[in-house]
Amino acid sequence: MQSKILVVDDDRGLRKGICFALKRKGYIVREASDGLEGEDFLKKEPFDLMITDLEMPGMKGIDLLKSAKLIAPDTISMVISGFGTIQKAVEAMQTGAQDFITKGESFSIDELEVKVEKLLKQKALKEELNGLREENRYLRREIEDKYRVKNFIGKSPALVKVFERVEKVTDDGNVTVLVRGESGTGKELIAKSIHYNGPRSAKPFVTVNCAAIPDNLLESELFGHEKGSFTDAIKRKIGKFELADGGSLFLDEIGDISAKLQVKLLRVLQERNFERVGGNEVIKVDVRVIAATNSNLEQAMLNKTFRE
């Protein structure tokens, strides 16, 4: 889509030259001979960029900039200043202009074109970022609504009790949670409900299936590793605990982790810090741990395969 530019200047020769150069670059250009005419254009049409002189009869450039902020807040601005008006150019920047260019012998159409292209690219990137942020907010609202307890299906006394417990732990973003149940009963759904409806909802929800990762790789998966810490460690890897910092880490099938890893996991739960595999740096994290299992942990404790 072509960018639309408004050029406001009482110097007809300079104005025509700027408009010609910008049209040659493929922009849609409108021109105004003074501030009042420029203001009328802003009221009637949307513009991506306004280029305005500062010293004009009638409405001054500074006043036009102030008016533009009210009637066309999405339009970015660049000012043209004469040699003796640099201080006014600074004032214009403080008023809301994004850049300025000087008149006189130092004026360069090439410099103007470069500045225009740069400003329009910055505007496009900002609009894209704002669009992504709005999309992210929308998706987050969708997720939060999807995982609300009121949307869960089930009215049996046992499930009602589960839902009550979920709502009780959701508001406390620091309490560690264990979700127990047979495979396929929705343990991860419960974990997501706790995260997305709690105070950590804006931060990451990171999942690790402890049963699906070999024990010799699970430690690196959880805590990361330093380059050269083992044969295939060709570069540093950030672990899931670091990725989940500020949010929640869901450890599915927690009953399947080894005794060695249980010791390291216990330290993280107690101290909120750890070292990467092969590293000495103590890394502090703020993570809520939500774990799930279909194992009989009481029997595992009796068998000395799971730490109480």
Side-chain angles (χ1 to χ4, degrees):
M1 185 176 177
Q2 290 176 291
S3 296
K4 200 170 179 181
I5 301 173
L6 173 63
V7 180
V8 187
D9 199 317
D10 63 318
D11 184 334
R12 186 177 185 276
L14 180 62
R15 186 178 73 245
K16 290 293 184 182
I18 292 173
C19 290
F20 177 78
L22 294 176
K23 287 177 181 177
R24 188 178 57 190
K25 284 290 185 178
Y27 301 118
I28 299 171
V29 184
R30 301 283 186 267
E31 57 179 295
S33 59
D34 57 43
L36 288 173
E37 189 180 2
E39 187 180 52
D40 286 338
F41 268 114
L42 291 173
K43 290 177 179 177
K44 295 174 183 176
E45 302 178 42
F47 290 92
D48 296 295
L49 171 66
M50 176 178 70
I51 302 172
T52 180
D53 189 11
L54 287 179
E55 292 301 319
M56 296 181 289
M59 178 182 279
K60 302 294 185 183
I62 289 291
D63 296 323
L64 178 58
L65 287 171
K66 292 176 181 178
S67 179
K69 287 179 70 175
L70 297 174
I71 62 178
D74 293 332
T75 301
I76 59 175
S77 304
M78 181 169 72
V79 298
I80 306 175
S81 64
F83 177 75
T85 58
I86 298 299
Q87 185 58 43
K88 290 186 177 179
V90 174
E91 182 185 349
M93 298 286 281
Q94 294 171 341
T95 303
Q98 278 72 32
D99 206 343
F100 74 93
I101 191 167
T102 56
K103 282 185 177 183
E105 295 180 359
S106 61
F107 179 78
S108 165
I109 283 289
D110 290 338
E111 182 187 1
L112 176 75
E113 290 174 350
V114 169
K115 286 178 177 286
V116 166
E117 184 179 4
K118 179 182 177 181
L119 286 175
L120 290 172
K121 281 184 177 180
Q122 289 174 344
K123 183 177 188 289
L125 287 172
K126 184 177 179 180
E127 288 175 347
E128 182 180 0
L129 180 60
N130 288 337
L132 290 172
R133 283 173 176 164
E134 182 56 37
E135 181 181 0
N136 186 50
R137 282 193 289 267
Y138 171 77
L139 292 173
R140 189 165 296 282
R141 287 194 297 268
E142 288 281 295
I143 290 172
E144 288 173 358
D145 187 64
K146 177 180 178 181
Y147 293 115
R148 291 193 189 282
V149 173
K150 65 180 178 63
N151 292 333
F152 290 173
I153 299 173
K155 296 182 179 179
S156 69
L159 273 178
V160 169
K161 186 174 290 187
V162 168
F163 298 157
E164 289 175 351
R165 290 178 177 175
V166 168
E167 291 185 323
K168 187 177 292 186
V169 299
T170 293
D171 292 338
D172 187 342
N174 295 315
V175 65
T176 302
V177 180
L178 175 64
V179 186
R180 306 180 65 175
E182 297 176 359
S183 297
T185 52
K187 296 188 292 296
E188 185 169 354
L189 189 66
I190 293 294
K192 287 181 177 179
S193 175
I194 293 170
H195 172 77
Y196 286 113
N197 291 289
R200 296 177 182 264
S201 61
K203 297 296 183 177
F205 177 85
V206 179
T207 299
V208 179
N209 188 331
C210 300
I213 303 173
D215 188 59
N216 61 329
L217 297 179
L218 184 57
E219 183 176 7
S220 171
E221 188 73 13
L222 290 174
F223 307 111
H225 62 248
E226 296 292 349
K227 179 180 178 180
S229 56
F230 51 88
T231 304
D232 295 325
I234 57 175
K235 62 180 181 179
R236 171 187 283 182
K237 176 181 177 178
I238 303 300
K240 300 296 188 185
F241 266 100
E242 283 182 81
L243 292 176
D245 191 25
S248 302
L249 179 64
F250 177 54
L251 301 176
D252 198 12
E253 303 303 344
I254 191 71
D256 289 10
I257 66 172
S258 68
K260 175 188 173 184
L261 269 182
Q262 288 176 40
V263 173
K264 196 163 185 178
L265 181 59
L266 179 61
R267 176 189 167 181
V268 181
L269 292 173
Q270 291 177 333
E271 307 296 333
R272 300 294 172 177
N273 61 55
F274 61 91
E275 294 100 29
R276 298 190 190 100
V277 176
N280 297 314
E281 178 189 359
V282 177
I283 300 166
K284 294 185 177 182
V285 289
D286 174 25
V287 176
R288 181 218 277 263
V289 173
I290 306 174
T293 184
N294 61 3
S295 303
N296 185 330
L297 295 184
E298 288 80 7
Q299 186 60 51
M301 284 186 282
L302 290 174
N303 296 339
K304 304 297 184 182
T305 57
F306 199 83
R307 295 175 63 89
E308 184 175 357

